Amino acid sequence: MSESDFKPKVVAFLCNWCSYTASDLAGTARIKYSPHARIIRVMCSGRVDPTFVLKAFAMGADGVLIAGCHPGDCHYIEQNYKTMRRHEMLRYFLERMGIESDRLRLVWASAAEGQYLAESIDSFVAAVQKLGPLNWSANWEENGQRAEALEEIVHEHAEAMEVAP
Amino acid sequence: MSGATKGKLALYWAASCGGCEIAVLAINEKILDVAALFDIVFWPVAVDGKVRDVEKMPDGSIDVCLFNGAIRTSEQEYMAQLLRRKSKVLVAFGACSHEGGIPGLANANNRRQIFETAYHDTPSTDNINHVEPQPKTEVPEGTLHLPVFYDTVRTLDQTVPVDYYLPGCPPEADRIWDAITAIVERKLPPPGSVIGAETTVCQECPRVRNEKKVKKFYRTWEIIPDSETCLLEQGLLCAGLATRAGCGAKCPQVNSPCIGCYGPNVGVHDAGARLMTALASVIDSNDPAEIDRIIRDGIPDPVGSFYRFGLAASHLRRSKRGNGKAAEAEQAGLGVH
């Protein structure tokens, strides 16, 4: 699969007060951005629990974008600083799990930055395209050995000699 | 209860250390009550019995099966399927069958890497012929079989449907007795529930809690914590705030941070992710470079620290399998000795 044929699944968590409004602005201003980003509105970027990010990757996402208000501008005073720390924590953890940490990106986009948000989504989608598919659940398979091995045990037990009680 | 109405109980172990078996005996003299209520039909560690006997039992004839240990080999998976079929109620007993436990940490590596370490690399190993266990070995008398060693450790409920979970490494004796009582008195929660508390270790911990602000994480050997204040406030990575209660907060009471053996609290799937959320909140810095330094200096092993017991049950379940040189060699077909 060449880079341009690969249509990545990107989950984008946008905060209600800044970044989602920015995407609205991009919409009303008819600014085009990549259709590969699936936008999910959350009340605050601080609402994005690492669980959401890990679940997205486990369920087939190739990249996760988190966007929120600029530091100091959070509607909930300082929750986006927690996002900042969770983002660092997650990047570190993802690296150790063998997932490229660039599959996760944090962007600050205010309500007036529709153009910037659209560009950020485009550049992130391009970066994920370059990294290629993640296809995480393929990691869990046992290469067909499993079914064969189980069948063999059943067969073996059926063949085993009866031991007198 | 008369002999005719005695229930049938089975206990089995898969990838586990055997501590859960001891934990069953930690209910002390109450084990005699268990023996009065149940016929123990299968318990390899304590009672003579053969797999063949279990195979011959009618399906659903065992009332309760307490299954401890994770699923790591084909033989363990076969036993899980067999006991599921024969048992009315299957209980995932202990951290390993509940969420992978310590054996589940092997999911940070793969089979090739584990074999390299276990059969070749350890300093005490002298394996000049590069012998490794093979699933099949031909001898003059015929073919010998060993179970297939899986790449990925799985929990019991990733293998077969499970009715109840009894968390802990090992489960506390009181909680075991609660579970047995609930089974006997038919006062069980809805199937699929964890039998235990619905709060976190912090609620059982007697330490004094204030606002948490951490500039540096310490490892347990680096400081001697005071015995009054919350361990996390003192910079020790304590998993209590993301871990289900039920243990009585035994570890924090002896100056040792919680390591999370009781698993996620009710409603939470991934305890490690919750722990990351909580730890990130308490870091006292708003500068990305400093945050990064605090995390990387203080938590050298994030996978083991966040998922000491829950890696196999987490959303990601394992690290990327194709990681590392050994994995590359295996993929290229060079790793077979």
Side-chain angles (χ1 to χ4, degrees), chain A residues 17-46:
Chain A
W17 304 101
C18 293
S19 305
Y20 192 82
T21 316
S23 75
D24 262 352
L25 179 63
T28 49
R30 303 194 171 230
I31 301 165
K32 277 192 182 160
Y33 56 84
S34 168
H36 301 314
R38 277 81 162 162
I39 292 176
I40 297 175
R41 181 173 63 147
V42 287
M43 287 311 281
C44 178
S45 60

Short mmCIF file of all heavy atoms in Angstrom, two decimals, chain A residues 17-46:
data_model
loop_
_atom_site.label_atom_id
_atom_site.label_comp_id
_atom_site.label_asym_id
_atom_site.label_seq_id
_atom_site.Cartn_x
_atom_site.Cartn_y
_atom_site.Cartn_z
N TRP A 17 -14.79 24.44 24.19
CA TRP A 17 -14.74 25.90 24.27
C TRP A 17 -13.81 26.55 23.27
O TRP A 17 -14.05 27.67 22.86
CB TRP A 17 -14.37 26.32 25.70
CG TRP A 17 -15.32 25.72 26.67
CD1 TRP A 17 -15.10 24.63 27.45
CD2 TRP A 17 -16.66 26.11 26.90
NE1 TRP A 17 -16.22 24.31 28.16
CE2 TRP A 17 -17.19 25.22 27.86
CE3 TRP A 17 -17.48 27.14 26.41
CZ2 TRP A 17 -18.50 25.31 28.32
CZ3 TRP A 17 -18.78 27.23 26.88
CH2 TRP A 17 -19.28 26.33 27.83
N CYS A 18 -12.73 25.87 22.89
CA CYS A 18 -11.78 26.47 21.95
C CYS A 18 -11.72 25.69 20.65
O CYS A 18 -12.14 26.15 19.60
CB CYS A 18 -10.39 26.55 22.57
SG CYS A 18 -10.31 27.70 23.94
N SER A 19 -11.21 24.46 20.71
CA SER A 19 -10.83 23.77 19.48
C SER A 19 -12.04 23.31 18.67
O SER A 19 -12.01 23.34 17.44
CB SER A 19 -9.93 22.60 19.80
OG SER A 19 -8.82 23.07 20.53
N TYR A 20 -13.11 22.88 19.35
CA TYR A 20 -14.30 22.49 18.59
C TYR A 20 -14.91 23.72 17.93
O TYR A 20 -15.36 23.66 16.78
CB TYR A 20 -15.32 21.80 19.50
CG TYR A 20 -16.41 21.11 18.72
CD1 TYR A 20 -16.21 19.85 18.17
CD2 TYR A 20 -17.64 21.74 18.48
CE1 TYR A 20 -17.19 19.23 17.42
CE2 TYR A 20 -18.62 21.12 17.74
CZ TYR A 20 -18.40 19.86 17.21
OH TYR A 20 -19.37 19.25 16.47
N THR A 21 -14.88 24.84 18.64
CA THR A 21 -15.36 26.10 18.06
C THR A 21 -14.47 26.50 16.88
O THR A 21 -14.96 27.03 15.88
CB THR A 21 -15.36 27.19 19.15
OG1 THR A 21 -15.91 26.63 20.34
CG2 THR A 21 -16.19 28.39 18.73
N ALA A 22 -13.18 26.22 17.01
CA ALA A 22 -12.26 26.49 15.90
C ALA A 22 -12.63 25.65 14.68
O ALA A 22 -12.61 26.14 13.54
CB ALA A 22 -10.83 26.21 16.32
N SER A 23 -13.02 24.38 14.92
CA SER A 23 -13.40 23.54 13.78
C SER A 23 -14.70 24.03 13.17
O SER A 23 -14.90 23.96 11.96
CB SER A 23 -13.48 22.07 14.19
OG SER A 23 -14.66 21.82 14.93
N ASP A 24 -15.61 24.55 14.00
CA ASP A 24 -16.84 25.18 13.50
C ASP A 24 -16.50 26.37 12.62
O ASP A 24 -17.07 26.56 11.54
CB ASP A 24 -17.69 25.68 14.68
CG ASP A 24 -18.79 24.70 15.03
OD1 ASP A 24 -18.98 23.73 14.27
OD2 ASP A 24 -19.47 24.91 16.05
N LEU A 25 -15.55 27.16 13.10
CA LEU A 25 -15.12 28.35 12.36
C LEU A 25 -14.53 27.92 11.01
O LEU A 25 -14.86 28.51 9.96
CB LEU A 25 -14.08 29.12 13.17
CG LEU A 25 -13.50 30.37 12.53
CD1 LEU A 25 -14.59 31.42 12.30
CD2 LEU A 25 -12.40 30.97 13.40
N ALA A 26 -13.72 26.85 11.05
CA ALA A 26 -13.15 26.34 9.80
C ALA A 26 -14.27 25.93 8.86
O ALA A 26 -14.21 26.17 7.64
CB ALA A 26 -12.22 25.16 10.09
N GLY A 27 -15.33 25.36 9.43
CA GLY A 27 -16.47 24.93 8.61
C GLY A 27 -17.19 26.12 7.99
O GLY A 27 -17.43 26.14 6.77
N THR A 28 -17.53 27.12 8.80
CA THR A 28 -18.28 28.26 8.26
C THR A 28 -17.42 29.06 7.29
O THR A 28 -17.94 29.68 6.37
CB THR A 28 -18.78 29.19 9.39
OG1 THR A 28 -17.70 29.46 10.27
CG2 THR A 28 -19.91 28.56 10.17
N ALA A 29 -16.09 29.01 7.49
CA ALA A 29 -15.20 29.72 6.58
C ALA A 29 -14.86 28.86 5.36
O ALA A 29 -14.07 29.28 4.51
CB ALA A 29 -13.93 30.14 7.30
N ARG A 30 -15.45 27.67 5.30
CA ARG A 30 -15.23 26.73 4.18
C ARG A 30 -13.75 26.40 3.97
O ARG A 30 -13.26 26.33 2.85
CB ARG A 30 -15.84 27.27 2.89
CG ARG A 30 -17.32 27.54 3.09
CD ARG A 30 -18.05 27.76 1.82
NE ARG A 30 -19.48 27.80 2.11
CZ ARG A 30 -20.38 27.09 1.46
NH1 ARG A 30 -20.02 26.29 0.50
NH2 ARG A 30 -21.65 27.20 1.76
N ILE A 31 -13.07 26.24 5.07
CA ILE A 31 -11.67 25.81 4.99
C ILE A 31 -11.68 24.29 4.94
O ILE A 31 -12.31 23.65 5.78
CB ILE A 31 -10.87 26.30 6.23
CG1 ILE A 31 -10.92 27.82 6.32
CG2 ILE A 31 -9.44 25.80 6.17
CD1 ILE A 31 -10.50 28.37 7.67
N LYS A 32 -11.01 23.73 3.95
CA LYS A 32 -11.01 22.26 3.82
C LYS A 32 -9.93 21.65 4.70
O LYS A 32 -8.84 22.18 4.81
CB LYS A 32 -10.76 21.89 2.36
CG LYS A 32 -12.01 21.95 1.53
CD LYS A 32 -11.79 21.30 0.19
CE LYS A 32 -13.06 21.44 -0.63
NZ LYS A 32 -12.80 21.27 -2.06
N TYR A 33 -10.28 20.53 5.34
CA TYR A 33 -9.24 19.75 6.01
C TYR A 33 -9.55 18.27 5.84
O TYR A 33 -10.64 17.89 5.40
CB TYR A 33 -9.07 20.15 7.48
CG TYR A 33 -10.32 20.08 8.34
CD1 TYR A 33 -10.70 18.87 8.93
CD2 TYR A 33 -11.07 21.21 8.57
CE1 TYR A 33 -11.83 18.82 9.73
CE2 TYR A 33 -12.21 21.15 9.37
CZ TYR A 33 -12.59 19.95 9.94
OH TYR A 33 -13.70 19.89 10.72
N SER A 34 -8.55 17.46 6.18
CA SER A 34 -8.61 16.03 5.88
C SER A 34 -9.87 15.37 6.43
O SER A 34 -10.23 15.55 7.60
CB SER A 34 -7.38 15.34 6.46
OG SER A 34 -7.57 13.96 6.40
N PRO A 35 -10.55 14.56 5.60
CA PRO A 35 -11.74 13.83 6.09
C PRO A 35 -11.37 12.61 6.94
O PRO A 35 -12.26 11.95 7.46
CB PRO A 35 -12.41 13.40 4.78
CG PRO A 35 -11.28 13.26 3.81
CD PRO A 35 -10.26 14.29 4.19
N HIS A 36 -10.08 12.31 7.08
CA HIS A 36 -9.70 11.12 7.83
C HIS A 36 -9.74 11.33 9.34
O HIS A 36 -9.62 10.37 10.10
CB HIS A 36 -8.30 10.65 7.41
CG HIS A 36 -8.22 10.34 5.96
ND1 HIS A 36 -9.18 9.60 5.31
CD2 HIS A 36 -7.32 10.71 5.01
CE1 HIS A 36 -8.86 9.50 4.03
NE2 HIS A 36 -7.75 10.17 3.82
N ALA A 37 -9.88 12.58 9.77
CA ALA A 37 -9.98 12.84 11.21
C ALA A 37 -11.44 12.70 11.64
O ALA A 37 -12.32 13.33 11.09
CB ALA A 37 -9.46 14.23 11.52
N ARG A 38 -11.68 11.81 12.61
CA ARG A 38 -13.02 11.66 13.19
C ARG A 38 -13.06 12.52 14.44
O ARG A 38 -12.40 12.20 15.42
CB ARG A 38 -13.28 10.22 13.61
CG ARG A 38 -13.76 9.30 12.51
CD ARG A 38 -12.61 8.81 11.68
NE ARG A 38 -13.01 7.62 10.91
CZ ARG A 38 -12.36 7.19 9.86
NH1 ARG A 38 -11.29 7.82 9.41
NH2 ARG A 38 -12.76 6.09 9.24
N ILE A 39 -13.85 13.60 14.39
CA ILE A 39 -13.83 14.54 15.51
C ILE A 39 -14.81 14.12 16.60
O ILE A 39 -15.95 13.77 16.33
CB ILE A 39 -14.13 15.96 15.00
CG1 ILE A 39 -12.96 16.42 14.12
CG2 ILE A 39 -14.37 16.92 16.16
CD1 ILE A 39 -13.15 17.77 13.47
N ILE A 40 -14.31 14.12 17.84
CA ILE A 40 -15.16 13.85 19.00
C ILE A 40 -15.07 15.07 19.91
O ILE A 40 -13.99 15.48 20.31
CB ILE A 40 -14.70 12.59 19.75
CG1 ILE A 40 -14.84 11.35 18.85
CG2 ILE A 40 -15.50 12.40 21.04
CD1 ILE A 40 -14.30 10.08 19.45
N ARG A 41 -16.23 15.66 20.21
CA ARG A 41 -16.23 16.84 21.07
C ARG A 41 -16.22 16.41 22.53
O ARG A 41 -17.01 15.57 22.93
CB ARG A 41 -17.46 17.70 20.78
CG ARG A 41 -17.51 18.96 21.61
CD ARG A 41 -18.64 19.84 21.18
NE ARG A 41 -19.92 19.16 21.39
CZ ARG A 41 -21.04 19.81 21.71
NH1 ARG A 41 -21.03 21.12 21.86
NH2 ARG A 41 -22.16 19.16 21.87
N VAL A 42 -15.33 16.98 23.30
CA VAL A 42 -15.31 16.76 24.75
C VAL A 42 -15.40 18.13 25.42
O VAL A 42 -15.09 19.14 24.79
CB VAL A 42 -14.01 16.03 25.20
CG1 VAL A 42 -14.05 14.57 24.80
CG2 VAL A 42 -12.77 16.69 24.65
N MET A 43 -15.83 18.15 26.66
CA MET A 43 -16.00 19.46 27.31
C MET A 43 -14.67 20.17 27.51
O MET A 43 -14.59 21.38 27.50
CB MET A 43 -16.76 19.31 28.63
CG MET A 43 -18.24 19.02 28.47
SD MET A 43 -19.06 20.15 27.31
CE MET A 43 -19.27 21.59 28.33
N CYS A 44 -13.62 19.39 27.73
CA CYS A 44 -12.31 19.99 27.99
C CYS A 44 -11.26 18.99 27.53
O CYS A 44 -11.49 17.78 27.60
CB CYS A 44 -12.17 20.23 29.50
SG CYS A 44 -10.57 20.91 30.00
N SER A 45 -10.12 19.47 27.08
CA SER A 45 -9.06 18.53 26.71
C SER A 45 -8.65 17.72 27.95
O SER A 45 -8.16 16.59 27.84
CB SER A 45 -7.86 19.26 26.12
OG SER A 45 -7.34 20.18 27.05
N GLY A 46 -8.88 18.28 29.14
CA GLY A 46 -8.58 17.57 30.38
C GLY A 46 -9.51 16.40 30.63
O GLY A 46 -9.27 15.57 31.49
#
